[in-house]
Amino acid sequence: MHSAVVFDIYSQTMDQRPVKEIVAMIRKELPEAFYRGCSTNGSIYEGTLSATPVSISCTLYEYPSTKIGMMQLQMTNDTEKDTVSKLAEYVKENPWVKAIEMLVTIRGMSMTSLCDDLSKIAPSVKIFGGGAFAPDFNENDAFVFSNVGECSDNAAVFMMIGGADLHIHTTHITGWKPLGRELQVTKAKGRVIYELDHTPAYEIYYKYLKIKNDENFFTNTLEFPFFYEHRGMNILRAPTASNPDGSLNMTADVEENVKARIAYGDPWTIMHEILLGGQKLSKLQPEVIHIYSCAARRTFWGENIGKETMPFQSIAPTSGFYTSGEFLRTGETVNQHNVTLVVAAFREGELLSTADDSFEMNAYELSGNVSMINRLATFIEAATEELEEANRKLEEMAVHDGLTGLYNRAEIQRRIGSALDTDSDSTALIMLDCDDFKSVNDIFGHDVGDDVLRRLSALIKEKCGSFGCETDAGRWGGEEFMVLLKGSSITQAAELAEQIRAGFEAMDIPVAHHRTISLGAAAARNGESADLLAKRVDDALYEAKRTGKNRTVIAE
């Protein structure tokens, strides 16, 4: 007895005649059966690459509660939203749906909109699948088909599956490690990356990997995707082509200012993730496993193809194909992945207490002999972190005063100019100077003088941090300091100046004891330059000195 029969048919050839012959036989002999399939870059059967041009696997669902639905809809940039709308309506009308398994032609399309719209479907519904492909990496053609549609090169097949007794678990495995320094996407639009670190994006691949901008670019870069965080998870994204202007075409949109790194697969890391994923899956006692693996992984393993997929065959019959992109819902969000292995495990009925839930892997795969690639990747990662930390310190030194930790004069000047360019009507300055500071150095020595400046700087930071408006503080030179207030009035500037003045006067400094400061404050005039504003606040400070010190004077 069975409730549904489903055939998965995967073709490693673009010749559609064998597929059409197979589906004609299924229609004749089993007219009630469901079937679906697509062209692939390689078909996975019983855990390894199929040796036949077309592979067929058949799943019998036995429980009466298990239900299957099939939809084949046009998939282009113009029809995508309508397609997902029809799919969402089906799910809404059929609450038994637990998962949507999809096969889709994706070459030449951005999958960002599709994933965003699929994410709006009820979050309880699992969504996963793969992009149809061709045996030749450089060929854009691919096709999908099903029992409700003919072979099509711009369509998606959605299989809805569910029922009270059906259990489905999904996971994904990468194993690719980020290498080298972070690269910032400085110019991008849609699925095209124009610049990385303000240089043509392609140049990164030539500089670090000597990959040429020619007809083999896609094949050569498959194993070196970008690694970055997207919607809270790490994503691998491979370029599909390099354009004459050095821009890169991606299969999904990439936002500007994203920081990414080039990644490379490490066999030991991959197999370790396979072990962890397989052990977790085995405890669910699946009866069928579907695998969607990126074509890049097939290229990566070469003659060892099947090394990462065969272990799943020890759990349950395994089938799938090598894709042009993998899809998986994690939480509420549907993501398109590259260079990733997506695994879906199915079981009808409850767990069997007597079932063998072991997961078999060859012992030598994880014997503890970490691969050379892993060692090199770890070394490069550690060296990169040290270099980035050194660069951060250099950047900090370039804009900060070494003694006080405040901005140096060049940086505070730059910030004053920027504030005036942005909003001169609500910009104010405070300039302050230690009273009789030369006597501190002459009487007590420069070490005590430096301590006075450090304590004054700490007080400025404290008062600015708690004042309630945006401020920047810098050392103007010697014992002079400048405080920039943005989005504030002269009244607020005078108030902050008095807080700093009173706080410093009350401070009992070791050796130097109580000292005082004089301050000037000025609000920017409309169209006033940074130099003129600085001169006016300096004049106000001079007036404070001339009229008795330890006071604040407001510039007219």
Side-chain angles (χ1 to χ4, degrees):
M1 293 292 293
H2 58 268
S3 58
V5 179
V6 179
F7 288 93
D8 293 315
I9 306 166
Y10 298 126
S11 173
Q12 299 185 101
T13 172
M14 293 303 295
D15 184 356
Q16 297 178 5
R17 289 174 297 178
V19 168
K20 292 177 178 179
E21 292 176 5
I22 291 168
V23 300
M25 293 174 58
I26 293 174
R27 285 174 176 170
K28 179 180 178 180
E29 302 296 333
L30 293 167
E32 300 300 318
F34 297 90
Y35 63 81
R36 58 170 201 145
C38 64
S39 59
T40 76
N41 189 253
S43 304
I44 299 169
Y45 182 72
E46 292 187 342
T48 193
L49 182 68
S50 173
T52 60
V54 180
S55 68
I56 309 168
S57 60
C58 178
T59 303
L60 300 179
Y61 293 92
E62 299 176 311
Y63 280 63
S65 60
T66 301
K67 297 181 180 181
I68 303 289
M70 196 78 71
M71 297 177 71
Q72 182 169 326
L73 301 169
Q74 189 179 28
M75 180 60 71
T76 65
N77 287 323
D78 294 332
T79 64
E80 176 270 315
K81 288 192 177 296
D82 184 57
T83 292
V84 178
S85 178
K86 291 176 181 177
L87 180 64
E89 188 64 26
Y90 183 98
V91 172
K92 186 176 179 181
E93 293 175 354
N94 296 275
W96 52 265
V97 175
K98 285 187 172 180
I100 300 171
E101 194 164 8
M102 56 190 282
L103 308 175
V104 58
T105 56
I106 71 172
R107 295 298 295 274
M109 284 185 62
S110 170
M111 293 289 101
T112 300
S113 180
L114 173 63
C115 290
D116 288 344
D117 291 335
L118 287 171
S119 298
K120 298 174 185 176
I121 292 175
S124 60
V125 177
K126 297 180 183 297
I127 300 175
F128 54 92
F133 212 173
D136 183 352
F137 280 132
N138 298 306
E139 189 172 348
N140 283 324
D141 292 337
F143 62 85
V144 297
F145 59 90
S146 69
N147 59 285
V148 294
E150 302 298 324
C151 289
S152 173
D153 60 2
N154 56 359
V157 172
F158 300 100
M159 183 171 77
M160 281 63 67
I161 183 168
D165 299 298
L166 182 67
H167 306 275
I168 305 169
H169 179 79
T170 58
T171 190
H172 73 288
I173 293 165
T174 58
W176 258 242
K177 295 174 67 70
L179 295 174
R181 65 181 182 86
E182 282 189 333
L183 308 165
Q184 185 171 14
V185 179
T186 48
K187 184 179 179 182
K189 184 176 182 180
R191 64 188 187 93
V192 180
I193 300 179
Y194 290 95
E195 293 181 359
L196 291 165
D197 288 348
H198 301 287
T199 62
Y202 154 74
E203 292 184 10
I204 297 298
Y205 277 101
Y206 186 77
K207 178 180 180 180
Y208 292 107
L209 299 169
K210 292 296 183 283
I211 294 175
K212 296 181 179 180
N213 190 356
D214 56 21
E215 67 277 4
N216 297 314
F217 177 82
F218 174 66
T219 303
N220 291 333
T221 57
L222 267 176
E223 295 181 41
F224 303 97
F226 289 118
F227 177 101
Y228 67 99
E229 185 176 303
H230 178 66
R231 293 172 176 170
M233 70 181 304
N234 291 327
I235 290 285
L236 294 173
R237 187 76 74 227
T240 60
S242 179
N243 302 312
D245 63 357
S247 61
L248 300 178
N249 291 344
M250 313 298 287
T251 54
D253 295 355
V254 178
E255 297 177 355
E256 288 186 352
N257 299 319
V258 163
K259 291 185 177 180
R261 295 163 74 183
I262 291 176
Y264 186 74
D266 168 58
W268 188 90
T269 303
I270 293 170
M271 296 310 295
H272 184 68
E273 288 195 16
I274 293 290
L275 175 65
L276 297 178
Q279 288 174 337
K280 187 174 181 179
L281 279 183
S282 67
K283 297 184 183 304
L284 302 170
Q285 299 175 5
E287 298 170 303
V288 172
I289 292 177
H290 291 174
I291 290 180
Y292 299 94
S293 181
C294 183
R297 300 179 81 92
R298 176 185 176 184
T299 302
F300 176 81
W301 286 111
E303 294 181 359
N304 292 317
I305 191 167
K307 195 171 185 178
E308 67 176 2
T309 52
M310 182 61 79
F312 292 102
Q313 184 70 16
S314 69
I315 305 174
T318 301
S319 63
F321 67 96
Y322 290 96
T323 77
S324 58
E326 307 76 57
F327 298 89
L328 180 65
R329 177 175 233 168
T330 305
E332 296 185 4
T333 303
V334 177
N335 285 300
Q336 183 213 347
H337 296 263
N338 292 133
V339 200
T340 299
L341 191 100
V342 168
V343 183
F346 303 78
R347 186 190 76 247
E348 285 185 299
E350 298 304 314
L351 291 170
L352 301 176
S353 59
T354 57
D356 180 12
D357 61 1
S358 61
F359 178 64
E360 298 178 5
M361 283 184 67
N362 291 330
Y364 75 88
E365 300 286 8
L366 290 160
S367 61
N369 296 321
V370 181
S371 72
M372 180 62 69
I373 293 174
N374 184 277
R375 294 183 190 277
L376 288 174
T378 302
F379 173 79
I380 292 171
E381 185 173 5
T384 301
E385 287 179 357
E386 290 176 357
L387 180 60
E388 289 177 347
E389 178 62 24
N391 285 334
R392 281 193 292 270
K393 290 180 179 178
L394 286 174
E395 290 174 3
E396 181 110 349
M397 291 169 63
V399 298
H400 287 84
D401 174 62
L403 176 65
T404 65
L406 300 179
Y407 290 122
N408 58 28
R409 178 160 181 164
E411 181 63 15
I412 194 64
Q413 279 183 313
R414 186 192 69 79
R415 288 173 177 260
I416 292 169
S418 177
L420 290 174
D421 290 341
T422 303
D423 185 9
S424 61
D425 290 335
S426 59
T427 299
L429 282 184
I430 300 169
M431 191 173 187
L432 58 109
D433 178 275
C434 286
D435 295 329
D436 304 313
F437 185 72
K438 184 177 182 299
S439 66
V440 175
N441 285 331
D442 291 344
I443 298 171
F444 303 113
H446 288 279
D447 288 345
V448 175
D450 288 348
D451 185 49
V452 170
L453 296 181
R454 280 192 291 264
R455 290 174 185 272
L456 174 57
S457 301
L459 176 68
I460 293 171
K461 287 182 183 178
E462 176 192 335
K463 296 300 182 183
C464 288
S466 61
F467 187 65
C469 70
E470 189 176 354
T471 59
D472 290 323
R475 187 180 182 188
W476 198 248
E479 64 272 21
E480 290 182 332
F481 298 84
M482 193 76 83
V483 177
L484 167 67
L485 294 87
K486 291 175 277 189
S488 63
S489 65
I490 188 61
T491 303
Q492 290 174 298
E495 181 183 346
L496 176 57
E498 276 299 294
Q499 287 186 14
I500 297 172
R501 186 198 62 77
F504 189 66
E505 183 183 19
M507 187 181 296
D508 187 5
I509 301 171
V511 182
H513 302 298
H514 294 280
R515 314 301 305 181
T516 62
I517 55 176
S518 296
L519 307 95
R525 295 168 177 165
N526 187 26
E528 187 173 31
S529 70
D531 287 343
L532 286 176
L533 177 58
K535 184 180 185 307
R536 287 201 299 115
V537 76
D538 185 47
D539 289 343
L541 170 61
Y542 175 78
E543 183 66 15
K545 291 280 192 182
R546 190 185 68 81
T547 56
K549 304 178 183 177
N550 190 24
R551 64 187 59 196
T552 300
V553 170
I554 308 299
E556 295 182 359

